[in-house]
Each structure stands twice: as structure tokens, then as C-alpha cells.
Amino acid sequence: MGAIPLEKLKPIHLQQFYTDLLSGEREDTREGVLLSRTVLHHHRVIHMALEMAVKWQLLPHNVTDAVIPPKIIKPEIHVLDENSVREMIAAAKGTPCYTALILAVSTGMRRCEIYVLRWRDVNLEAGNIAINQSVQYSKENGLYFKEPKNIRSGRV
């Protein structure tokens, strides 16, 4: 899409771009197929950018207004039953991931939250754990600590 001059951008170009992202046809995406929520985020960013181009009179109208953005499709979640959880815990016993697995199963903590736990986050007397940060990876920065994903993610 980047090779198309702004004034020649048509709704069909954007529609094809979204279709390619959803189907994994683009070579410039990291992991092939993108989730519909991610593609919808792309649409919103492009819409805002083109809205600014209209304000600056670089375009007569915003072509994203004529595009059907992708609908969010929530992936189906498969929850393990109690027996499967017991088997998984038994199989992990004695391995380095045992403690992390127990925390994940018993608290619902995310992997990125478990990996950054510090003793100051754990209150054994009160029987709680404070989630104050998470860890993320990027090619540019490697592993780095960050604030929780949103306000509800920081919790006890």
C-alpha cells in the first residue's frame, strides 16, 4: 500500500490491504495472519491519518469512509477441565516451570506477570500477590519491564 500515492489511494486498495492482513498474504507482517482486532486498529490509525490529510486539504475526502472495516472475531477459548489441569501439574512437578504453572492455574496471572514477580509483590501474611508490572519482548529492546496493560491489569 505504501507505493500508492496519497491522491491515488482508493477504497479497494485499503480493502485489499485488510484482506491480505487477515489472510496472511502480506510478507511484511511478523507472524503472517493478524487478528481482526489488530487489523481494525490499523483501520482506525489509517482513518485518523487520512482525516488529517482532508483537514490539510491534501485529499478531498477520506477514502476509509467507503471501506468496510473488519469485524472483531473473538477467538474461541478452550479451558482445561479439572483432570487435565491435575495431569499438567503432575507432569510439571520437578521441572523449572512448576511454580509458574501453579501460579498461573491458581491465580489466573499471565506469563508476562509471573516472570516479573518480586518478593516485595508477595505478602505471605495477607495471602496475596500484587501485580504491578509485566515484561515484554521486542527485537529492538529485548526484554523490558512495563506497566500493566491497562488499569484493570494492575491488581492484587
Side-chain angles (χ1 to χ4, degrees):
M1 205 176 75
I4 301 168
L6 189 59
E7 63 277 359
K8 293 190 178 184
L9 186 63
K10 303 281 184 225
I12 191 69
H13 296 126
L14 288 172
Q15 203 72 64
Q16 187 62 53
F17 176 65
Y18 300 154
T19 301
D20 291 348
L21 289 175
L22 289 167
S23 67
E25 294 294 317
R26 291 189 60 87
E27 293 180 14
D28 58 350
T29 58
R30 264 187 305 148
E31 299 173 15
V33 179
L34 295 181
L35 294 176
S36 57
R37 183 179 307 275
T38 303
V39 178
L40 183 59
H41 182 68
H42 282 59
H43 171 76
R44 289 177 179 152
V45 170
I46 292 168
H47 177 79
M48 289 176 7
L50 294 180
E51 199 62 39
M52 190 58 67
V54 171
K55 282 184 181 180
W56 290 345
Q57 298 179 358
L58 298 172
L59 290 174
H61 62 279
N62 190 337
V63 296
T64 59
D65 292 336
V67 175
I68 300 168
K71 294 194 184 325
I72 294 178
I73 301 167
K74 293 187 177 183
E76 187 177 336
I77 297 173
H78 301 283
V79 179
L80 296 176
D81 62 30
E82 193 174 330
N83 287 333
S84 297
V85 171
R86 282 194 179 114
E87 288 176 21
M88 184 174 57
I89 290 171
K93 202 162 203 151
T95 68
C97 64
Y98 179 74
T99 304
L101 181 62
I102 293 293
L103 276 171
V105 168
S106 60
T107 66
M109 290 173 63
R110 297 175 181 96
R111 181 177 47 190
C112 61
E113 297 166 341
I114 292 170
Y115 290 157
V116 296
L117 277 180
R118 300 160 294 190
W119 277 112
R120 68 179 181 217
D121 299 325
V122 178
N123 185 336
L124 295 175
E125 291 174 13
N128 61 37
I129 298 171
I131 312 294
N132 298 312
Q133 62 180 352
S134 67
V135 66
Q136 194 161 357
Y137 173 80
S138 72
K139 287 181 183 176
E140 301 82 35
N141 303 320
L143 289 174
Y144 62 94
F145 299 103
K146 63 180 210 136
E147 294 293 314
K149 193 172 178 179
N150 57 49
I151 293 172
R152 291 185 314 257
S153 294
R155 61 201 184 280
V156 176

